[in-house]
Amino acid sequence: MSTATNDRSDATDAAGGRSAESIRLQADPGACSADGGSPDETDEPDRLVLVPMNDYQPGMTGRVVDRLPAPIVVDLLALPNGDTVSVLTQPDEYRGYVVRSTLTATQVRSTTIVFTRDSLETGACYVFEVGAQLFSTQLSLLRTTVRRVGAADSSDSGESDESAAAANDA
């Protein structure tokens, strides 16, 4: 997955004003801060996640956009012929989440899918810890942990991740 970059997020246009793109990047409430934001008040444990090898960036901060339906997660965690890999005998134990990330303040976000047995909160920001380990070469997945660094934004529908999970599993 390629990541497009801006030379500067605070670039000015020909008239000396800020470009529309730099204003959009700064004003976007869905963006997590590049420094990972401030840690939550709660002492939440780190969560073990599986992330595609090509998408992992140590220290990357991302906002959970949505949870994937369970049948899609099972399909994504299977080989093309439908078989499971030996390290992942029960892919239905995992939840899949779409995560939109910001690598630095000057790089446009990328999107990836992460898998976890834990629950991630939709709208919350998480930082990918340094120190990933190989999980599966066949699925091209690394195992690492994420730490919550920002609360869910108030613009969400108010639906909790658990109620959304029940709807996705139905």
Side-chain angles (χ1 to χ4, degrees):
M1 190 177 288
S2 65
T3 305
T5 60
N6 291 332
D7 290 334
R8 288 179 34 130
S9 64
D10 60 346
T12 58
D13 63 13
R18 290 181 42 217
S19 70
E21 179 65 10
S22 70
I23 292 169
R24 185 193 66 74
L25 285 173
Q26 277 198 328
D28 185 355
C32 295
S33 65
D35 64 1
S38 58
D40 273 0
E41 321 305 281
T42 61
D43 250 350
E44 291 190 27
D46 289 352
R47 293 177 174 97
L48 188 64
V49 297
L50 304 177
V51 62
M53 289 180 187
N54 293 337
D55 295 343
Y56 172 70
Q57 292 290 324
M60 176 177 78
T61 301
R63 180 175 303 279
V64 175
V65 176
D66 208 351
R67 182 171 170 198
L68 294 173
I72 292 175
V73 173
V74 171
D75 285 347
L76 291 172
L77 291 175
L79 296 172
N81 65 3
D83 290 344
T84 58
V85 294
S86 61
V87 295
L88 188 63
T89 57
Q90 293 183 303
D92 57 341
E93 291 181 342
Y94 286 83
R95 298 172 180 167
Y97 294 91
V98 177
V99 176
R100 186 167 293 143
S101 62
T102 304
L103 299 176
T104 69
T106 60
Q107 289 185 326
V108 175
R109 281 183 255 152
S110 63
T111 302
T112 191
I113 296 173
V114 299
F115 305 96
T116 182
R117 288 182 175 145
D118 296 322
S119 180
L120 302 179
E121 185 178 353
T122 301
C125 291
Y126 294 86
V127 64
F128 287 77
E129 301 291 339
V130 176
Q133 299 174 344
L134 182 61
F135 180 76
S136 169
T137 55
Q138 292 173 299
L139 294 174
S140 215
L141 292 173
L142 297 173
R143 177 178 48 217
T144 189
T145 56
V146 294
R147 180 176 39 88
R148 186 172 168 175
V149 294
D153 49 80
S154 58
S155 63
D156 281 350
S157 65
E159 182 179 0
S160 74
D161 187 53
E162 296 309 315
S163 61
N168 282 336
D169 291 338

